[in-house]
Every structure is written in structure tokens, then in C-alpha cells.
Amino acid sequence: MPVQRRMLLGAAGLAVFITVCVGWLFQSVGKPVAWWGYLGLLALSASLVYALARLLRKGARESGVQTIDTYKELE
């Protein structure tokens, strides 16, 4: 799987987790949020997580740190 797609799927997964946790928090407090608020939070958190992943990957590349993407590269 290409690295870009893996980063995008990881960002989407973390964004879904963040949105579910925030939704659960607001529901348990008794302050429901409109459905478009959750979509906005999902989009915002996915974009922030994706941007952070790109920055970390770019920083590792520029500093000369080698990342290991697969188990076969360890051998």
C-alpha cells in the first residue's frame, strides 16, 4: 500500500475516533450537536492529523532518519 494512502487512511481512522469520542462526550453531558457539526469536526480533525503526519514524515526525511515501513526491510 502506498505511503500516501496509508497516511490518509490513518488520518481518517483517527478522525473518526476523535469525532466519536467528542460526540459521546457531548451526548453524555446532555448537549446534543447538529449532524453537520460532527461532519465539520470529522473534516477538521482528519485534515489536522494528515498535516501533522506529512510534517513528521518530511522532517524525518530532511534530518536523514530512515523510516522502516515493512518487516522485510528489517532483515
Side-chain angles (χ1 to χ4, degrees), residues 32-66:
V33 178
W35 63 271
W36 49 267
Y38 292 121
L39 287 179
L41 177 64
L42 180 67
L44 178 69
S45 57
S47 62
L48 288 175
V49 170
Y50 184 71
L52 180 64
R54 285 184 56 199
L55 282 174
L56 289 174
R57 193 145 180 98
K58 181 181 177 187
R61 228 180 300 128
E62 289 177 355
S63 67
V65 175
Q66 298 254 339

Side-chain angles (χ1 to χ4, degrees), residues 22-32:
V22 170
W24 177 62
L25 177 71
F26 278 111
Q27 290 293 330
S28 65
V29 172
K31 302 284 185 185

